[in-house]
Amino acid sequence: MSSLSRKPPAEVRRQLRREVGFGCPAPGCGNPYLEYHHFDPEWHVKPHHNPAGMVALCATHHAKADAWTIEQCRALKGTTLDRSVAGKFEWMRREVIGIIGGNYFHETPDMIVFGSAKLVWFERDEDGYLLLSLNMLSISGQPRTKLRANDWLIEGDPIDVESPPNGSRLRVRYENGDEVDIRFKQWETPESVQKEHPRILDIEDVSFPVVTAEVKMIAAGTDYQFDSKKSQMG
Ligand SMILES: [Zn+2]
């Protein structure tokens, strides 16, 4: 019996995501919500986390992966998309609390504004659902990840993209230190937020369950940095 956890170590997951260009390498797929398939040897034959015998796949292709030979799996490892990786947050609520830079935004559409440019904002669709948009701040001169009304698009050349299959988080990091990390979470009761975000309980008219959208953003080489606890602007 092995006590090895089925979840690969963080550095192995990062390497596997990166070698497929952050999208499922199955022909015609490109789904950015990745899992990790063990093929050489298969997990049930011998538990291991040797990246040479593993490949990142979407949940659909992971479930079908037994159809592929070792050689076919190995060939997929070097396959990257010829287009940008894109995805979508499925979270749609009429009430969402934004948590950015230590501030809690409730009924505040334009959460972070830089000069006259919006950096992080909500807009309502025709059904009244709040959708999140975001521009990364960067002095790199390179394209950066964009979020528009819950749809995200990876641009530039990130060193890592984390986008787990549950679709609640997107974290993108670039070589120069630029980073964005967006997480949606539903809190069932006032007691559940008490420990992590007690200030939500001070907001008037919050009804549970409540959804939060937490945004962390770093613009490398500048003083601009927002995480859940503090914000710094110049
Ligand atoms: Zn796939």
Side-chain angles (χ1 to χ4, degrees), residues 44-111:
H44 67 88
V45 175
K46 183 183 189 305
H48 69 95
H49 291 308
N50 172 16
M54 300 170 66
V55 61
L57 297 170
C58 75
T60 301
H61 286 109
H62 192 185
K64 296 177 174 177
D66 286 346
W68 293 324
T69 65
I70 288 176
E71 288 69 30
Q72 287 166 335
C73 286
R74 198 168 285 139
L76 289 175
K77 286 169 67 66
T79 308
T80 56
L81 289 177
D82 53 4
R83 55 186 161 83
S84 297
V85 173
K88 182 181 181 62
F89 285 114
E90 301 290 348
W91 292 84
M92 294 167 73
R93 296 290 193 280
R94 293 193 172 83
E95 182 176 56
V96 180
I97 296 173
I99 306 176
I100 310 167
N103 294 307
Y104 292 78
F105 298 92
H106 184 241
E107 305 292 339
T108 310
D110 296 343
M111 292 178 282

Side-chain angles (χ1 to χ4, degrees), residues 47-177:
H48 69 95
H49 291 308
N50 172 16
M54 300 170 66
V55 61
L57 297 170
C58 75
T60 301
H61 286 109
H62 192 185
K64 296 177 174 177
D66 286 346
W68 293 324
T69 65
I70 288 176
E71 288 69 30
Q72 287 166 335
C73 286
R74 198 168 285 139
L76 289 175
K77 286 169 67 66
T79 308
T80 56
L81 289 177
D82 53 4
R83 55 186 161 83
S84 297
V85 173
K88 182 181 181 62
F89 285 114
E90 301 290 348
W91 292 84
M92 294 167 73
R93 296 290 193 280
R94 293 193 172 83
E95 182 176 56
V96 180
I97 296 173
I99 306 176
I100 310 167
N103 294 307
Y104 292 78
F105 298 92
H106 184 241
E107 305 292 339
T108 310
D110 296 343
M111 292 178 282
I112 304 287
V113 178
F114 178 68
S116 58
K118 292 192 240 185
L119 287 188
V120 187
W121 70 99
F122 278 121
E123 54 201 74
R124 284 191 194 274
D125 71 4
E126 55 199 14
D127 296 316
Y129 293 120
L130 283 171
L131 305 178
L132 185 65
S133 295
L134 173 153
N135 287 326
M136 287 185 73
L137 198 60
S138 178
I139 59 169
S140 68
Q142 301 296 310
R144 287 294 180 253
T145 294
K146 287 188 180 69
L147 176 65
R148 287 289 176 280
N150 280 19
D151 284 316
W152 50 263
L153 179 68
I154 306 297
E155 294 191 314
D157 187 16
I159 56 170
D160 193 26
V161 177
E162 285 174 76
S163 164
N166 69 16
S168 295
R169 184 180 188 195
L170 174 68
R171 183 184 188 202
V172 186
R173 285 179 290 164
Y174 292 88
E175 190 133 44
N176 74 336

